[in-house]
Amino acid sequence: MSAQPLEEIAESLLAAAKRAGADAADVVVAEGTSLSVGVRLGEIEKLKHAREKHLGLRLFVGQSTAISATADFSHRALKQFAAETCALARITAPDPFGGLPEPGELASTIPDLDLYDPAAETVTPEHGIELARRAEDAARSADPRITNSEGAEFGAGYDRVVYASSAGFSGSYRDSGFSLSVVPIASAEGAMQRDYWYSSARKLNRLDSPEAVGQTAAARTLRRLGARQVQTCEVPVVFDPETAASLLRHLAGAVSGYSLYKGSSFLIGKLGQQIAPEFLTIYDDGTLVGALASRPFDGEGVATRRTAVIERGVLANYLFDSYSARKLGSRTTGNAGRSVADAPHVSTANFFPVAGSESPQEIIASVSEGLYVTELIGMGVNPVTGDYSRGAVGQWIAGGELTYAVEEITIAGNLLDMFRSLEVIGNDLQLRHAVSAPTIKIARMTVAGQ
């Protein structure tokens, strides 16, 4: 795939939009290839290979905006596409907060963040099937109690993204991604449990080995056998990294400019206030080399950056794209995310806390009686008040050790109170998602069971 034709298409469409009457416009063009394979009990259940190329046009006529998308790149079609999008804008209600970023906010350089692996173009379905089978085999052979499988999947893909705007910005970058996952099922004493594990990375050779993925999935599944309820109580709660990341996703949503101007954030009016212990610092960083959510510029051509969202426990910054920043009298933080067919929105990059010094084992050992959470169920979170109530699965901690599996329980609290009472943050941070966390311990929460 060559970048030049896409950049020429973007510039040509911007010119067509201007001729059709647009005062300003921007274009996103994306082309990519994806491969996904799935096996179950060794048999191939899914094999999908797709190539896609499409573009999105956002334009402004006065203070009115329209957004359209197409996969027809012919010159004649794009000319008509620009005219039709202008016509749509003319019948749209004006919005004084719309528009492109200020020219001074646009990225002046396009850094190489090492987001692309050429192996994404050469990996074959056969190789993906082999990796998935090895992961599933490793899980199934880990223990006789692993009696079934929901399957294993491998995915690979790469994209080229081009963004250009009438404000004078034009840039492109390539990225790639790989993933491997498996879901084993365990049986014992008439009960069955399932769990999963996975690995994801920008580079193929940075995926965990299929054997490691399978064995971890098996261990996670086996530890759920014999699960039972516990009595309702108020105890310390330790979140494993996967479930701790979900708490940070709620925080990321609460610092989004859109949540703020819509009045749907429990962090409205908290900027500059101490909302967590001094040991907690959380960054949003789109500039990390090779990280899963890094990008050289955002969906509006603004340079990505490292933003301290919480600094030594103080809410230091909200996150904005251009629209939400204007709406709230602020400036964009380079956090515009954008799909081809949709308007920009606030999107985190790599959102993570600075890791602590204690290991997960040390954190668990600090709890005489409490809950270790490994899965959260349901969406019982009120973003306006921060009230939090979710179904949970995990392990009961007694005497500083994991003792037995628990399920059919609910944990409840308030997100602001939970961050304020955050007691320990672990040393096991791995950037496995756009939002990542290490093990964390909340001083006390209500655990509702029997």
Side-chain angles (χ1 to χ4, degrees), residues 172-196:
S172 67
Y173 63 89
R174 293 191 298 181
D175 60 22
S176 58
F178 302 86
S179 64
L180 180 63
S181 64
V182 62
V183 185
I185 297 172
S187 303
E189 299 177 354
M192 299 177 70
Q193 293 285 355
R194 61 174 288 284
D195 210 321
Y196 71 98

mmCIF file of all heavy atoms in Angstrom, residues 172-196:
data_model
loop_
_atom_site.group_PDB
_atom_site.id
_atom_site.type_symbol
_atom_site.label_atom_id
_atom_site.label_comp_id
_atom_site.label_asym_id
_atom_site.label_seq_id
_atom_site.Cartn_x
_atom_site.Cartn_y
_atom_site.Cartn_z
ATOM 1 N N SER A 172 0.617 11.225 7.879
ATOM 2 C CA SER A 172 0.198 9.824 7.820
ATOM 3 C C SER A 172 1.073 8.992 8.742
ATOM 4 O O SER A 172 2.168 9.409 9.130
ATOM 5 C CB SER A 172 0.293 9.288 6.386
ATOM 6 O OG SER A 172 1.650 9.216 5.976
ATOM 7 N N TYR A 173 0.568 7.843 9.083
ATOM 8 C CA TYR A 173 1.367 6.875 9.835
ATOM 9 C C TYR A 173 0.804 5.468 9.606
ATOM 10 O O TYR A 173 -0.341 5.313 9.179
ATOM 11 C CB TYR A 173 1.412 7.206 11.329
ATOM 12 C CG TYR A 173 0.076 7.162 12.047
ATOM 13 C CD1 TYR A 173 -0.409 5.985 12.617
ATOM 14 C CD2 TYR A 173 -0.705 8.303 12.165
ATOM 15 C CE1 TYR A 173 -1.620 5.953 13.275
ATOM 16 C CE2 TYR A 173 -1.924 8.276 12.831
ATOM 17 C CZ TYR A 173 -2.374 7.104 13.375
ATOM 18 O OH TYR A 173 -3.593 7.078 14.025
ATOM 19 N N ARG A 174 1.642 4.486 9.875
ATOM 20 C CA ARG A 174 1.226 3.091 9.785
ATOM 21 C C ARG A 174 1.277 2.471 11.183
ATOM 22 O O ARG A 174 2.120 2.839 12.000
ATOM 23 C CB ARG A 174 2.156 2.309 8.853
ATOM 24 C CG ARG A 174 2.067 2.745 7.419
ATOM 25 C CD ARG A 174 2.792 1.776 6.514
ATOM 26 N NE ARG A 174 4.205 1.699 6.824
ATOM 27 C CZ ARG A 174 5.067 0.942 6.155
ATOM 28 N NH1 ARG A 174 4.635 0.177 5.161
ATOM 29 N NH2 ARG A 174 6.336 0.927 6.471
ATOM 30 N N ASP A 175 0.379 1.541 11.420
ATOM 31 C CA ASP A 175 0.454 0.802 12.670
ATOM 32 C C ASP A 175 0.026 -0.641 12.429
ATOM 33 O O ASP A 175 -0.508 -0.987 11.369
ATOM 34 C CB ASP A 175 -0.382 1.454 13.772
ATOM 35 C CG ASP A 175 -1.851 1.557 13.418
ATOM 36 O OD1 ASP A 175 -2.329 0.793 12.552
ATOM 37 O OD2 ASP A 175 -2.545 2.401 14.012
ATOM 38 N N SER A 176 0.292 -1.474 13.389
ATOM 39 C CA SER A 176 -0.074 -2.886 13.304
ATOM 40 C C SER A 176 -0.462 -3.378 14.691
ATOM 41 O O SER A 176 -0.196 -2.719 15.696
ATOM 42 C CB SER A 176 1.100 -3.713 12.763
ATOM 43 O OG SER A 176 2.237 -3.557 13.599
ATOM 44 N N GLY A 177 -1.102 -4.533 14.716
ATOM 45 C CA GLY A 177 -1.484 -5.121 15.997
ATOM 46 C C GLY A 177 -1.673 -6.626 15.871
ATOM 47 O O GLY A 177 -2.068 -7.128 14.816
ATOM 48 N N PHE A 178 -1.369 -7.316 16.964
ATOM 49 C CA PHE A 178 -1.500 -8.773 17.008
ATOM 50 C C PHE A 178 -2.138 -9.163 18.335
ATOM 51 O O PHE A 178 -1.922 -8.506 19.355
ATOM 52 C CB PHE A 178 -0.124 -9.447 16.903
ATOM 53 C CG PHE A 178 0.630 -9.085 15.659
ATOM 54 C CD1 PHE A 178 1.421 -7.941 15.630
ATOM 55 C CD2 PHE A 178 0.536 -9.864 14.515
ATOM 56 C CE1 PHE A 178 2.103 -7.589 14.489
ATOM 57 C CE2 PHE A 178 1.229 -9.519 13.370
ATOM 58 C CZ PHE A 178 2.015 -8.384 13.350
ATOM 59 N N SER A 179 -2.904 -10.244 18.332
ATOM 60 C CA SER A 179 -3.516 -10.721 19.576
ATOM 61 C C SER A 179 -3.653 -12.239 19.546
ATOM 62 O O SER A 179 -3.763 -12.846 18.473
ATOM 63 C CB SER A 179 -4.896 -10.077 19.790
ATOM 64 O OG SER A 179 -5.785 -10.482 18.767
ATOM 65 N N LEU A 180 -3.638 -12.814 20.720
ATOM 66 C CA LEU A 180 -3.810 -14.261 20.876
ATOM 67 C C LEU A 180 -4.563 -14.493 22.174
ATOM 68 O O LEU A 180 -4.181 -13.945 23.220
ATOM 69 C CB LEU A 180 -2.445 -14.955 20.918
ATOM 70 C CG LEU A 180 -2.438 -16.478 21.077
ATOM 71 C CD1 LEU A 180 -3.114 -17.154 19.881
ATOM 72 C CD2 LEU A 180 -1.015 -16.990 21.236
ATOM 73 N N SER A 181 -5.626 -15.294 22.130
ATOM 74 C CA SER A 181 -6.433 -15.515 23.333
ATOM 75 C C SER A 181 -6.968 -16.941 23.351
ATOM 76 O O SER A 181 -7.069 -17.594 22.305
ATOM 77 C CB SER A 181 -7.609 -14.524 23.384
ATOM 78 O OG SER A 181 -8.484 -14.739 22.295
ATOM 79 N N VAL A 182 -7.325 -17.406 24.540
ATOM 80 C CA VAL A 182 -7.920 -18.741 24.679
ATOM 81 C C VAL A 182 -8.873 -18.746 25.862
ATOM 82 O O VAL A 182 -8.653 -18.038 26.854
ATOM 83 C CB VAL A 182 -6.820 -19.818 24.838
ATOM 84 C CG1 VAL A 182 -5.995 -19.592 26.094
ATOM 85 C CG2 VAL A 182 -7.417 -21.216 24.855
ATOM 86 N N VAL A 183 -9.957 -19.524 25.752
ATOM 87 C CA VAL A 183 -10.990 -19.604 26.797
ATOM 88 C C VAL A 183 -11.231 -21.080 27.142
ATOM 89 O O VAL A 183 -12.045 -21.748 26.498
ATOM 90 C CB VAL A 183 -12.304 -18.952 26.331
ATOM 91 C CG1 VAL A 183 -13.320 -18.925 27.478
ATOM 92 C CG2 VAL A 183 -12.076 -17.553 25.794
ATOM 93 N N PRO A 184 -10.525 -21.609 28.140
ATOM 94 C CA PRO A 184 -10.758 -23.003 28.538
ATOM 95 C C PRO A 184 -11.924 -23.131 29.510
ATOM 96 O O PRO A 184 -12.325 -22.156 30.150
ATOM 97 C CB PRO A 184 -9.432 -23.394 29.196
ATOM 98 C CG PRO A 184 -8.861 -22.119 29.693
ATOM 99 C CD PRO A 184 -9.374 -21.016 28.822
ATOM 100 N N ILE A 185 -12.431 -24.357 29.629
ATOM 101 C CA ILE A 185 -13.520 -24.674 30.558
ATOM 102 C C ILE A 185 -13.047 -25.804 31.465
ATOM 103 O O ILE A 185 -12.483 -26.793 30.994
ATOM 104 C CB ILE A 185 -14.791 -25.102 29.788
ATOM 105 C CG1 ILE A 185 -15.286 -23.938 28.913
ATOM 106 C CG2 ILE A 185 -15.877 -25.572 30.745
ATOM 107 C CD1 ILE A 185 -16.424 -24.322 27.977
ATOM 108 N N ALA A 186 -13.288 -25.646 32.761
ATOM 109 C CA ALA A 186 -12.882 -26.656 33.742
ATOM 110 C C ALA A 186 -14.118 -27.252 34.406
ATOM 111 O O ALA A 186 -15.139 -26.575 34.564
ATOM 112 C CB ALA A 186 -11.962 -26.032 34.795
ATOM 113 N N SER A 187 -14.014 -28.506 34.788
ATOM 114 C CA SER A 187 -15.126 -29.198 35.462
ATOM 115 C C SER A 187 -14.609 -29.929 36.685
ATOM 116 O O SER A 187 -13.526 -30.525 36.655
ATOM 117 C CB SER A 187 -15.780 -30.215 34.511
ATOM 118 O OG SER A 187 -16.228 -29.606 33.328
ATOM 119 N N ALA A 188 -15.421 -29.898 37.746
ATOM 120 C CA ALA A 188 -15.095 -30.658 38.958
ATOM 121 C C ALA A 188 -16.332 -30.736 39.826
ATOM 122 O O ALA A 188 -17.035 -29.730 40.003
ATOM 123 C CB ALA A 188 -13.950 -29.986 39.729
ATOM 124 N N GLU A 189 -16.617 -31.928 40.325
ATOM 125 C CA GLU A 189 -17.740 -32.152 41.247
ATOM 126 C C GLU A 189 -19.042 -31.594 40.688
ATOM 127 O O GLU A 189 -19.822 -30.936 41.375
ATOM 128 C CB GLU A 189 -17.426 -31.548 42.625
ATOM 129 C CG GLU A 189 -16.200 -32.162 43.268
ATOM 130 C CD GLU A 189 -15.854 -31.513 44.589
ATOM 131 O OE1 GLU A 189 -16.506 -30.502 44.939
ATOM 132 O OE2 GLU A 189 -14.946 -31.995 45.287
ATOM 133 N N GLY A 190 -19.268 -31.807 39.406
ATOM 134 C CA GLY A 190 -20.514 -31.408 38.763
ATOM 135 C C GLY A 190 -20.628 -29.948 38.421
ATOM 136 O O GLY A 190 -21.655 -29.508 37.890
ATOM 137 N N ALA A 191 -19.627 -29.159 38.712
ATOM 138 C CA ALA A 191 -19.665 -27.724 38.408
ATOM 139 C C ALA A 191 -18.677 -27.411 37.289
ATOM 140 O O ALA A 191 -17.654 -28.095 37.128
ATOM 141 C CB ALA A 191 -19.329 -26.909 39.640
ATOM 142 N N MET A 192 -19.003 -26.393 36.529
ATOM 143 C CA MET A 192 -18.133 -25.978 35.435
ATOM 144 C C MET A 192 -17.795 -24.498 35.590
ATOM 145 O O MET A 192 -18.615 -23.713 36.043
ATOM 146 C CB MET A 192 -18.816 -26.210 34.079
ATOM 147 C CG MET A 192 -19.167 -27.662 33.810
ATOM 148 S SD MET A 192 -20.043 -27.878 32.251
ATOM 149 C CE MET A 192 -18.747 -27.526 31.093
ATOM 150 N N GLN A 193 -16.580 -24.133 35.201
ATOM 151 C CA GLN A 193 -16.154 -22.733 35.227
ATOM 152 C C GLN A 193 -15.364 -22.442 33.949
ATOM 153 O O GLN A 193 -14.728 -23.334 33.380
ATOM 154 C CB GLN A 193 -15.270 -22.462 36.449
ATOM 155 C CG GLN A 193 -15.980 -22.556 37.777
ATOM 156 C CD GLN A 193 -16.877 -21.370 38.066
ATOM 157 O OE1 GLN A 193 -16.911 -20.405 37.299
ATOM 158 N NE2 GLN A 193 -17.613 -21.413 39.176
ATOM 159 N N ARG A 194 -15.421 -21.190 33.533
ATOM 160 C CA ARG A 194 -14.631 -20.744 32.397
ATOM 161 C C ARG A 194 -13.870 -19.482 32.782
ATOM 162 O O ARG A 194 -14.297 -18.725 33.652
ATOM 163 C CB ARG A 194 -15.504 -20.448 31.171
ATOM 164 C CG ARG A 194 -16.513 -19.335 31.431
ATOM 165 C CD ARG A 194 -17.266 -18.928 30.208
ATOM 166 N NE ARG A 194 -16.467 -18.186 29.277
ATOM 167 C CZ ARG A 194 -16.107 -16.903 29.423
ATOM 168 N NH1 ARG A 194 -16.457 -16.243 30.523
ATOM 169 N NH2 ARG A 194 -15.408 -16.280 28.518
ATOM 170 N N ASP A 195 -12.759 -19.271 32.134
ATOM 171 C CA ASP A 195 -12.040 -18.008 32.249
ATOM 172 C C ASP A 195 -11.222 -17.861 30.973
ATOM 173 O O ASP A 195 -11.395 -18.662 30.027
ATOM 174 C CB ASP A 195 -11.170 -17.973 33.511
ATOM 175 C CG ASP A 195 -11.009 -16.546 34.065
ATOM 176 O OD1 ASP A 195 -10.862 -15.615 33.241
ATOM 177 O OD2 ASP A 195 -11.023 -16.371 35.285
ATOM 178 N N TYR A 196 -10.341 -16.888 30.919
ATOM 179 C CA TYR A 196 -9.648 -16.602 29.668
ATOM 180 C C TYR A 196 -8.278 -16.022 29.978
ATOM 181 O O TYR A 196 -7.989 -15.600 31.092
ATOM 182 C CB TYR A 196 -10.439 -15.573 28.846
ATOM 183 C CG TYR A 196 -10.386 -14.195 29.481
ATOM 184 C CD1 TYR A 196 -9.478 -13.231 29.018
ATOM 185 C CD2 TYR A 196 -11.178 -13.883 30.574
ATOM 186 C CE1 TYR A 196 -9.395 -11.988 29.632
ATOM 187 C CE2 TYR A 196 -11.100 -12.652 31.189
ATOM 188 C CZ TYR A 196 -10.210 -11.703 30.717
ATOM 189 O OH TYR A 196 -10.112 -10.484 31.327
#
